[in-house]
Amino acid sequence: MALLTRFFQIPEQSFFLLGPRGTGKSTWLRARLPDAFWLDLLDPELHRRLVARPERLRAALAGAPAARTVVIDEIQRAPELLSVVHAVLEEPSPPRFVLTGSSARKLRRGEVNLLGGRALNRTLHPFMAAELPRFDLARALEVGLVPLVVDSPDPEGTLGAYASLYIDQEVRAERLPRDGGARQALPVRRRRLPLAAPDRTA
């Protein structure tokens, strides 16, 4: 499937872009911000270097002085970087930071620096019906509207893998702190996903 137009509007200032895995955050941003300086924290070597010494982010930025937009992908994997981002935003003429993440829980519960209002909070949801060139309600009810699943040559298999590897983990992570570890989280039995939710923050 070709890259589809999303209703999401990119802010002019720095912002967090959160949302479930598979909603196309990275793919969509790479297409819309082709000139951005990109730091992908799924890169094991980069991740190790920046976690070991978060101040290396400044050196990386110094190597791309013309970049006016800096994307840090999967920021929840190295939340220590947010203190460096905060300091850079306090400087004259800072770049715009786009901080993507698939786990808002890890950020909000980690007592990390969330930039004190210097970055907006935005969410990229699964597709809305109006974003698709042809919307099939029956199919959407069967496999949902997560772009990763919709664009797969095997939507049912991808949905099963997505649900078991991601949703089950997230549900357990949400339940265990509430239960104090006393009860084991139940596995997710229902595999159908929400079609979409309106983006009230865009």
Side-chain angles (χ1 to χ4, degrees), residues 46-173:
L46 178 64
H47 178 252
R48 284 194 300 268
R49 291 180 64 250
L50 292 178
V51 168
R53 293 184 59 187
E55 64 272 17
R56 284 175 171 151
L57 175 60
R58 282 188 175 276
L61 297 177
R68 298 310 305 154
T69 297
V70 177
V71 178
I72 304 181
D73 203 10
E74 299 291 348
I75 186 63
Q76 82 278 354
R77 300 196 73 231
E80 303 88 350
L81 295 177
L82 289 170
S83 292
V84 181
V85 172
H86 189 159
V88 173
L89 288 174
E90 293 291 309
E91 298 174 355
S93 301
R96 171 179 57 178
F97 283 91
V98 180
L99 307 159
T100 80
S102 56
S103 180
R105 172 186 53 79
K106 289 182 180 178
L107 287 176
R108 292 166 183 159
R109 291 184 179 172
E111 298 183 358
V112 299
N113 184 341
L114 294 179
L115 307 183
R118 292 165 181 80
L120 303 176
N121 291 320
R122 294 291 184 263
T123 303
L124 190 65
H125 296 287
F127 286 131
M128 289 185 279
E131 292 176 326
L132 298 172
R134 289 187 299 176
F135 175 65
D136 183 335
L137 176 60
R139 187 61 171 162
L141 290 172
E142 182 65 27
V143 300
L145 290 177
V146 173
L148 176 70
V149 176
V150 172
D151 198 29
S152 171
D154 179 11
E156 289 82 1
T158 301
L159 177 61
Y162 180 93
S164 62
L165 296 178
Y166 175 59
I167 296 180
D168 286 0
Q169 292 176 5
E170 287 297 301
V171 170
R172 288 192 178 94

